[in-house]
Amino acid sequence: MDLEAQNKDLTLLRLPSILKLTRGIHVMMPAHNDYSNVLVSSANLDAPTLVSAVVSAIELALRGIHGEGARTMILMNVLPLGCAPSFLGFALTNPSLQKDKDSCIASYNAVVDLHNAELKKMVESLRTELSWTGLVLFDLNAIYLDAVRNPSKYAVTKPLAACCGAGANEYNINLAIPCGKSGTVNGTTVTAGRCSDPSQYISWDGLHPTESFAEYIASAMLKGEFTYPSFSLEEACKP
């Protein structure tokens, strides 16, 4: 493959053959860090420019893996970061950040919505240009919002809180003490530990899903739910 030709050290990694790439089902979950790092650090975010750069980078990666032989690709969009406990915890120290009807941070979700809209346009364009019928979009944003709005459907009782955290607030978030770490709060050592029942939460550590919610995501993907266009994993697995 081209990558191995460019870097001989990659042969040691035993990259999949062209045949395996062609027959394989690939899942890509990009862009979350690109937005996470910027949303909390930039007061004057140029969202359209950022979104354009991020989506262009994803398109470049998709073209590359398609060129290497991949034919079935499930591409995830970005979850509603404004509903993630880490960002809600950050908002506690930034009262200017407004909440939406879901009690999530409106401005953060607006950036994510812009990204997801542009991502869908890009997917539609690539499907047409490359005749890539196996390129489908999984709407991670939609299933996450569905869990926030209908928590009992997912056996969740605390949709906006993190399971693992050390925050003395409704989101269980202390930005200075991430999951698994210890720190000092008012002279007392505090450890960000796990909750008693992770299945009652969407979020494990403020951003990543709990194992139980990840199962809902995987099940939806396997069933072809929340996909665009309609997608059958069973059909994709046929020789």
Side-chain angles (χ1 to χ4, degrees):
M1 289 185 289
D2 289 344
L3 291 175
E4 290 179 338
Q6 295 169 21
N7 189 338
K8 299 299 182 183
D9 291 339
L10 289 178
T11 58
L12 301 176
L13 298 179
R14 297 183 180 180
L15 293 174
S17 65
I18 292 293
L19 180 61
K20 289 182 178 179
L21 274 172
T22 301
R23 292 182 175 176
I25 295 175
H26 310 275
V27 179
M28 184 185 292
M29 184 182 177
H32 287 80
N33 288 343
D34 297 288
Y35 294 107
S36 297
N37 296 333
V38 173
L39 287 176
V40 298
S41 61
S42 179
N44 299 300
L45 174 63
D46 182 354
T49 298
L50 175 62
V51 167
S52 178
V54 172
V55 173
S56 292
I58 296 171
E59 179 181 354
L60 185 63
L62 288 172
R63 288 181 180 277
I65 194 169
H66 181 272
E68 293 290 342
R71 290 299 177 266
T72 303
M73 169 65 72
I74 302 173
L75 175 68
M76 294 190 185
N77 63 10
V78 173
L79 62 82
L81 294 175
C83 300
S86 287
F87 294 96
L88 289 166
F90 175 75
L92 291 175
T93 60
N94 295 269
S96 62
L97 294 171
Q98 301 297 310
K99 302 285 184 63
D100 60 18
K101 60 183 176 61
D102 297 310
S103 297
C104 303
I105 302 173
S107 59
Y108 291 174
N109 281 353
V111 175
V112 170
D113 288 345
L114 178 60
H115 167 89
N116 290 341
E118 292 303 311
L119 189 73
K120 185 176 181 180
K121 291 178 185 177
M122 183 269 288
V123 166
E124 291 172 337
S125 177
L126 276 188
R127 281 175 55 85
T128 299
E129 178 189 340
L130 302 177
S131 299
W132 194 357
T133 57
L135 174 61
V136 297
L137 192 64
F138 180 78
D139 199 343
L140 178 63
N141 189 279
I143 190 173
Y144 196 107
L145 274 179
D146 191 40
V148 169
R149 294 167 179 169
N150 306 288
S152 61
K153 181 178 173 182
Y154 299 85
V156 166
T157 59
K158 298 180 179 179
L160 298 179
C163 167
C164 184
N169 53 60
E170 60 189 297
Y171 308 118
N172 193 30
I173 288 293
N174 184 323
L175 297 176
I177 310 176
C179 178
K181 302 296 183 180
S182 297
T184 302
V185 178
N186 298 325
T188 302
T189 299
V190 176
T191 299
R194 56 159 282 174
C195 58
S196 59
D197 186 359
S199 68
Q200 295 184 7
Y201 297 74
I202 296 174
S203 180
W204 167 248
D205 57 359
L207 184 60
H208 303 94
T210 56
E211 182 177 348
S212 55
F213 189 65
E215 288 180 6
Y216 282 108
I217 294 171
S219 177
M221 191 179 297
L222 290 170
K223 294 176 182 177
E225 299 171 349
F226 295 98
T227 58
Y228 172 82
S230 179
F231 173 74
S232 169
L233 191 62
E234 182 179 356
E235 288 297 319
C237 288
K238 287 182 179 180

